[in-house]
Each structure stands twice: as C-alpha cells, then as structure tokens.
Amino acid sequence: MVLYRLGDAIDTLSQITRVVTQVYRENGRAEHDLNSYLQPLQERSRTDSLDDSDHHYLAGLLGRPLPADNGSATGLYDWGRSEAEHPDLPEVVNTRACLYALRASGSEEPETVFASLNEPTRAVARAVAQHLLPPCDDDLP
C-alpha cells in the first residue's frame, strides 16, 4: 500500500510540475531556463529497477558501511552520510523516520528498530509505524 500511495503522489507532483511549466512557457520563459529548473536528465522512471546508487544512498543515510560493490555510486553514499550527520534537518528526520518505520513494520520487535534514532526522528518513526502496522498491534506507544 505504501508504494501504491507513493506512486499516486509521484503522479500528482508530475502533473503539477507540467502545469506550472506550461504557465511559465506561456508567459515567455525560455525553454533553456525551464530545462535547467526541471533537471530532466535526473528523472528516472519509477519502473526502473533499483541500482547501486539507491543501495549506496540508503547505506549512507542509515550509517551503514559502504557496500563492497561501490562502483560509481560513492557520491550518493557520501550524500547520504552527509544527511545522516545532520539528523535534525526536517527532510532528514522525515526520510529516516519513514525508512525506519517501514523496517519496523516487518519486525517482531518494532521498538528495537528505533533504538539508534534521535528523539525527534524516533517520534516521527513511531507515528508513521502506527499507520503501517496492523491495527491489532499495540506494542508501540
């Protein structure tokens, strides 16, 4: 269900982006400017399979060691590590909390998954996990 909702969110954001782009285009914004803002070379289809960069970014964000198959994705590992070093930034708190909540939703002891998180991230992770866990599970405060 989480992936289904994320897919819907991506579709909605994509539609908003196209509408805003068209407004700018109609108001005379240069195509070069629009492309520099939209960064089309960075776009990936959500049907693309995961690649090393996804694994490396996740490892960096979660403070795991760099995977042995580091290939060319060490920059994304470093980016994840950099974000992990600033755990109080709202986007980092929310990203880490969601990742840990997803992990906790498949765990027998969800609270142990949150043990290494700082308190703001732990609070968000618990809140997210409560929506992912079955309704009969009362283990989370």
Side-chain angles (χ1 to χ4, degrees), residues 71-87:
S72 62
T74 56
L76 285 169
Y77 176 79
D78 292 340
W79 184 20
R81 290 291 297 164
S82 172
E83 289 182 355
E85 291 169 5
H86 302 284

Side-chain angles (χ1 to χ4, degrees), residues 29-124:
R29 184 63 62 121
E31 224 29 65
H32 175 269
D33 290 343
L34 293 174
N35 283 332
S36 70
Y37 298 136
L38 291 172
Q39 305 170 42
L41 296 177
Q42 293 182 18
E43 188 167 336
R44 285 179 46 190
S45 169
R46 66 178 182 255
T47 60
D48 290 346
S49 61
L50 294 175
D51 62 19
D52 288 345
S53 64
D54 300 308
H55 299 291
H56 293 180
Y57 174 74
L58 181 61
L61 185 66
L62 298 179
R64 297 177 183 159
L66 180 65
D69 63 337
N70 63 24
S72 62
T74 56
L76 285 169
Y77 176 79
D78 292 340
W79 184 20
R81 290 291 297 164
S82 172
E83 289 182 355
E85 291 169 5
H86 302 284
D88 54 340
L89 294 175
E91 62 273 17
V92 176
V93 167
N94 291 333
T95 302
R96 286 175 57 97
C98 288
L99 292 171
Y100 276 84
L102 281 168
R103 204 163 89 195
S105 70
S107 171
E108 294 288 323
E109 299 178 34
E111 195 57 34
T112 60
V113 175
F114 304 136
S116 67
L117 298 174
N118 64 25
E119 190 48 45
T121 308
R122 188 178 309 130
V124 175

Side-chain angles (χ1 to χ4, degrees), residues 1-9 102 131-132:
M1 189 50 104
V2 172
L3 291 175
Y4 181 80
R5 296 291 183 220
L6 286 172
D8 285 348
L102 281 168
H131 294 284
L132 297 174

